[in-house]
Amino acid sequence: MKAVVFAYSNVGDRGLRVLRAAGVEVPLVITHRDHPGETLWFQRVADTAAELGLSTLYAEDLAPNALADAVASAQPDFIFSFYCRTMIPAAVLALAPRGAFNLHGSLLPQFRGRAPTNWAVLHGAVETGATLHEMVVKPDAGAIVDQSAVPILPDDTARQVFDKVCVAAEQVLWRSLPGLLAGTAPRRPNELARGRYFSGRRPEDGRIDWAQPAAQVYNLIRAVAPPYPGAFTEVAGQRLVVAAARRSPAARVAQDAAALAGRAPGLHVLGDRIVARCGDGGLIDVHRLLHANASAGSAPVDAAALEALFSSPSSSSSF
């Protein structure tokens, strides 16, 4: 059996390795060029393909007709998409007589669309997972072959959840392949009305509104924590990223709440600590605060540095 694979990131890397281990021939891999300025914290599928001796093309280099010609020339039985960043045209999907299948990073029909792990954390979901489904014209709408759940713990960041989802995706593909190759894989409806579609996220979407309840602010911090662009606020005209935080421990909440009573929502300095007060009075301990444009390895903004920013002429008392 032959498969053309559209792949990117860690799920793309593991998916290719699963296909190779299962004896599926991959005559062509189509991946993406890295975005300029993007932090490359994930596995490059182009490197994986080179390691495995697989022919690779970049989607950005191919006009629609050239893409269809390249896939047709590979004569695939299957097409697989593992975290491909672009929609695959229907005419290309039709070139795989045994079907086209996608690994999506959520428990469909929940969190269809882009950045599913980040959206799941942002919305306070307690579980997500990976789903293998048929590809149709509408994104993430085809029948479900299999899926596997992973927990989202209260303090998990999106990166930590993404790593779990990668393992779930590998497991789902591994156990589904025998049925796909034999033509006996089950299908069940993807009941779209039970979920919703989410678009991609932009760095600007990470701006913190401290007037929101602490639970929502904390979810945002977890959802976009590095290596993603990060949740940010501005002090004295400087953009600061909340790179790591925790909800304030119960043993300290009463004392800190009393110290911050009547203070506006935002960042505050309590001794040698940075504490954020949110719109509902809830508190968040900021463990790591960074200048948005700081180079790797730069010192974080500590309580003393933040106090100095508060004292600058262009600053008010809290942000």
Side-chain angles (χ1 to χ4, degrees), residues 2-283:
K2 294 196 295 184
V4 167
V5 179
F6 292 74
Y8 194 66
S9 190
N10 296 10
V11 173
D13 165 67
R14 300 310 300 175
L16 276 178
R17 296 181 189 279
V18 167
L19 293 180
R20 169 59 67 90
V24 176
E25 181 184 352
V26 180
L28 178 62
V29 176
I30 298 172
T31 188
H32 299 285
R33 294 193 181 279
D34 304 319
H35 289 176
E38 184 173 21
T39 301
L40 298 181
W41 54 270
F42 46 82
Q43 178 65 36
R44 298 181 70 254
V45 165
D47 294 339
T48 305
E51 175 193 333
L52 300 177
L54 304 177
S55 177
T56 304
L57 295 174
Y58 290 99
E60 293 80 3
D61 298 346
L62 299 171
N65 288 344
L67 173 63
D69 289 345
V71 174
S73 296
Q75 298 182 309
D77 299 294
F78 295 92
I79 287 174
F80 287 102
S81 173
F82 305 142
Y83 270 53
C84 178
R85 281 183 159 180
T86 55
M87 289 292 294
I88 301 173
V92 173
L93 298 180
L95 295 172
R98 299 290 300 275
F101 300 89
N102 176 56
L103 273 174
H104 183 73
S106 78
L107 296 175
L108 293 177
Q110 298 293 326
F111 300 108
R112 303 191 306 276
R114 302 291 299 276
T117 301
N118 306 83
W119 282 115
V121 175
L122 181 64
H123 281 264
V126 297
E127 72 171 5
T128 187
T131 301
L132 182 68
H133 68 95
E134 290 182 327
M135 281 191 284
V136 294
V137 173
K138 191 172 183 178
D140 305 324
I144 293 171
V145 176
D146 193 11
Q147 56 189 184
S148 181
V150 301
I152 302 177
L153 304 184
D155 295 318
D156 279 349
T157 65
R159 170 63 192 275
Q160 290 170 321
V161 177
F162 176 76
D163 289 344
K164 299 180 196 182
V165 168
C166 286
V167 175
E170 181 175 342
Q171 292 172 334
V172 165
L173 181 61
W174 177 256
R175 72 183 179 220
S176 298
L177 271 177
L180 289 176
L181 298 177
T184 60
R187 310 285 198 279
R188 68 176 186 270
N190 189 353
E191 300 177 31
L192 303 187
R194 295 179 53 204
R196 55 178 286 204
Y197 180 86
F198 292 84
S199 61
R201 293 188 58 80
R202 305 164 302 162
E204 187 64 26
D205 295 332
R207 182 181 295 275
I208 298 170
D209 178 3
W210 296 112
Q212 290 186 335
Q216 290 181 238
V217 173
Y218 187 51
N219 287 346
L220 173 63
I221 292 169
R222 296 189 300 125
V224 296
Y228 300 103
F232 66 89
T233 189
E234 291 179 354
V235 176
Q238 298 189 38
R239 180 169 291 193
L240 304 178
V241 173
V242 180
R246 284 286 189 274
R247 293 296 302 271
S248 294
R252 213 166 50 212
V253 165
Q255 179 181 346
D256 287 353
L260 296 176
R263 303 286 292 275
L267 295 177
H268 299 274
V269 174
L270 291 179
D272 61 354
R273 297 183 295 118
I274 299 173
V275 179
R277 185 175 190 271
C278 299
D280 62 351
L283 305 179

